[in-house]
Amino acid sequence: MKTKVLVIGANGQLGSVLTKALQKKYTLENVIASDLRTDEDFKGIFEVIDATDKKRIKQVIEKYKITQIYHLAAILSAKGEELPLITWDINMKTWLNVLEVSRESNIEKVFFPSSIAVFGAGVPLTDTPQTTYLNPATVYGMSKAAGENWAQYYFDQYGLDVRSIRYPGVIGYQSLPGGGTTDYAVDIFHKAVLEEDFSCFLEKDTSLPMIYMDDVIRATIELMEAPKECIQIRTSYNIAGVSFTPNEIVAEIRNFYPNFKVSYDPDFRQDIAAGWPSSIDDSIATEHWGWKSKYNLEQITQTMLAELKEYYRLKLAM
Ligand code: SER
């Protein structure tokens, strides 16, 4: 059967970049992007979908004879704490809708993004193992942990081929994150390039697992392409990129911008970060489907600064 991909949440930080990668892989006509609103600059096929509306998802599946779904829509950790009940409703309803329409429409493969936010109290925070307690302390983390269990349930009960990764904080120059606890690690590069001061909402020695956009896109596509028998975990796979503290990223940036000024003003997001792992053990993903990250902090810093410098140069020239 011809692969026809539906991306839900295609305007987001990850969705926008993943959609382009999928278009490159499967061609423009075989990738259907969707989100709550159209993006004027978008090239390709786009359908407006509110994923809390199951009928609407189904309409689009039938219209394009969709075979794979990437469900990327969610409210992230920090925003989620401001709107706890709405976050639970949206994150769970959209995911259950996707699972249910996938079952009804015999979708071949479904991708679900989980997060390092599933971990919490009682877990080793250094090299957090694949299998351990999930005691999330945020509503976002609770929705992802429950989502992982639902993925396992649909696999066990209905044989639905659901695959999932626990994403670290994602760093890329192409798009901005919104409402997450790891967002500082993207914002900081924009401020450096614009030669503005940066105020950090985390303490300077709080280490979090992060990953570069190219690595995360590759991980997602490699997982989805792996032979079915390799996928022995149907909740979600740990993957690691690189772990660093604000202090460490500032030191790297100062190699290029020695006068870059940073102040620390920790807020509620510091409490969220303090409960999350500082590094992740991803050896099971390596063993099962060959995962290996490529980008270290030095390479991330160089690429982010170079790409953003070019982006702002072109923007100012317009
Ligand atoms: N980047 C996400 C957040 O900070 C974690 O999955 O909420």
Side-chain angles (χ1 to χ4, degrees):
M1 209 190 327
K2 196 169 175 191
T3 301
K4 282 266 182 188
V5 180
L6 172 63
V7 182
I8 297 176
N11 294 350
Q13 184 200 11
L14 194 75
S16 54
V17 187
L18 183 65
T19 300
K20 286 202 181 102
L22 292 167
Q23 285 175 328
K24 205 166 157 197
K25 188 169 166 51
Y26 294 112
T27 75
L28 276 192
E29 66 187 26
N30 292 317
V31 178
I32 288 70
S34 75
D35 210 308
L36 291 171
R37 277 168 288 277
T38 346
D39 168 4
E40 279 174 17
D41 300 326
F42 182 77
K43 289 187 189 61
I45 305 172
F46 194 99
E47 291 280 346
V48 172
I49 293 182
D50 174 348
T52 60
D53 179 356
K54 185 177 156 219
K55 273 201 204 119
R56 175 68 186 135
I57 309 176
K58 196 146 189 184
Q59 252 175 16
V60 174
I61 288 177
E62 283 167 4
K63 178 170 170 189
Y64 295 96
K65 303 199 169 33
I66 297 294
T67 61
Q68 293 190 12
I69 302 180
Y70 290 75
H71 173 56
L72 302 173
I75 298 181
L76 296 186
S77 60
K79 185 87 191 151
E81 294 309 281
E82 288 163 17
L83 305 165
L85 297 184
I86 292 175
T87 299
W88 177 259
D89 272 356
I90 290 181
N91 289 3
M92 294 316 296
K93 177 113 192 122
T94 54
W95 179 221
L96 289 173
N97 280 346
V98 168
L99 285 170
E100 201 43 18
V101 290
S102 298
R103 181 183 71 80
E104 289 167 3
S105 306
N106 295 318
I107 294 296
E108 251 172 38
K109 285 182 204 171
V110 182
F111 180 78
F112 174 65
S114 186
S115 162
I116 52 167
V118 295
F119 300 114
V123 167
L125 294 182
T126 309
D127 290 332
T128 304
Q130 172 68 47
T131 306
T132 183
Y133 298 109
L134 301 186
N135 288 328
T138 58
V139 177
Y140 170 72
M142 283 156 57
S143 73
K144 290 297 181 187
E148 288 188 8
N149 290 140
W150 277 108
Q152 177 83 57
Y153 186 86
Y154 269 72
F155 176 74
D156 290 342
Q157 300 299 321
Y158 309 116
L160 186 65
D161 189 354
V162 192
R163 304 178 181 202
S164 173
I165 287 174
R166 292 173 179 149
Y167 287 140
V170 176
I171 302 177
Y173 59 86
Q174 302 95 327
S175 53
L176 286 171
T181 303
T182 55
D183 295 12
Y184 93 88
V186 178
D187 295 341
I188 197 167
F189 288 112
H190 287 260
K191 288 286 190 294
V193 166
L194 292 167
E195 299 190 22
E196 292 174 9
D197 297 350
F198 180 67
S199 169
C200 187
F201 58 70
L202 297 185
E203 279 166 10
K204 60 175 184 287
D205 51 4
T206 302
S207 179
L208 286 174
M210 304 280 184
I211 191 164
Y212 189 56
M213 186 66 87
D214 287 23
D215 272 341
V216 92
I217 299 290
R218 187 169 54 80
T220 307
I221 294 178
E222 280 178 11
L223 173 74
M224 288 297 270
E225 294 227 300
K228 203 170 172 182
E229 60 278 11
C230 294
I231 312 300
Q232 292 164 43
I233 291 194
R234 293 294 176 166
T235 49
S236 191
Y237 278 101
N238 279 10
I239 66 164
V242 55
S243 284
F244 57 80
T245 64
N247 227 358
E248 288 164 338
I249 194 173
V250 169
E252 281 295 333
I253 291 174
R254 282 193 182 139
N255 289 330
F256 300 86
Y257 293 87
N259 300 322
F260 184 43
K261 283 201 185 62
V262 178
S263 56
Y264 293 91
D265 189 13
D267 62 18
F268 72 101
R269 288 169 282 192
Q270 172 59 35
D271 297 333
I272 297 177
W276 285 0
S278 56
S279 59
I280 298 287
D281 175 0
D282 62 357
S283 52
I284 301 289
T286 306
E287 191 186 311
H288 289 185
W289 46 279
W291 165 246
K292 191 138 190 44
S293 72
K294 284 190 181 154
Y295 283 80
N296 62 26
L297 180 56
E298 200 184 329
Q299 292 161 316
I300 294 175
T301 306
Q302 278 176 13
T303 319
M304 286 295 286
L305 293 175
E307 293 287 349
L308 288 176
K309 204 169 164 189
E310 181 61 5
Y311 167 78
Y312 284 112
R313 191 185 66 78
L314 291 174
K315 202 171 162 190
L316 285 174
M318 278 201 317

